Amino acid sequence: MVGYDKKEAHAFILRRIHPQDHPALADRLGELVAQAIDADLDFMAETGVIGPDGLGGDSYYEEDDAFEYIVERLAANNGLDPEQAVKVASLVDDFMDAQYAYMMYAGLVQDE
């Protein structure tokens, strides 16, 4: 996505996700957030939210579909069992709020 700085986004998002809210994942937050960023950007590209040129595509961002995609990706990438996947789902919920805040901050989306 043109204008999306992964390093800046990662730091921005990590400042908004509190380890005490995800104690079972606290030691892996940085790694999981990086994976969630990649999964979300992949979702946007695959669904046409981001066009081939990295700019806005023709599709609308479906938050529920994105959530499922990211959770499934993180669960598969990390070999998580169903109980761990539920904990990751909670993290992804917080991630999505922070990701949206970053995109607003970076001027990549506008409130509707």
Side-chain angles (χ1 to χ4, degrees):
M1 168 183 276
V2 173
Y4 190 95
D5 182 323
K6 283 186 185 183
K7 184 176 180 181
E8 179 182 62
H10 188 261
F12 184 99
I13 292 165
L14 278 177
R15 285 193 300 272
R16 284 157 180 77
I17 295 179
H18 307 288
Q20 66 269 22
D21 294 338
H22 307 283
L25 306 172
D27 61 333
R28 300 183 59 200
L29 283 181
E31 171 190 352
L32 292 169
V33 166
Q35 290 178 37
I37 288 170
D38 288 339
D40 196 24
L41 293 174
D42 288 348
F43 172 81
M44 287 187 263
E46 289 177 20
T47 59
V49 174
I50 300 171
D53 57 2
L55 300 174
D58 296 331
S59 296
Y60 181 76
Y61 186 81
E62 294 291 338
E63 190 171 333
D64 291 341
D65 293 343
F67 176 83
E68 287 180 31
Y69 182 96
I70 296 167
V71 171
E72 288 173 8
R73 172 81 72 86
L74 268 61
N77 284 354
N78 295 284
L80 304 180
D81 64 35
E83 184 178 316
Q84 293 167 319
V86 169
K87 292 174 182 169
V88 164
S90 176
L91 172 62
V92 171
D93 189 47
D94 288 349
F95 161 79
M96 291 185 75
D97 290 340
Q99 170 83 312
Y100 182 75
Y102 171 73
M103 290 185 157
M104 289 287 295
Y105 164 81
L108 300 171
V109 296
Q110 297 177 353
D111 252 343
E112 295 180 6

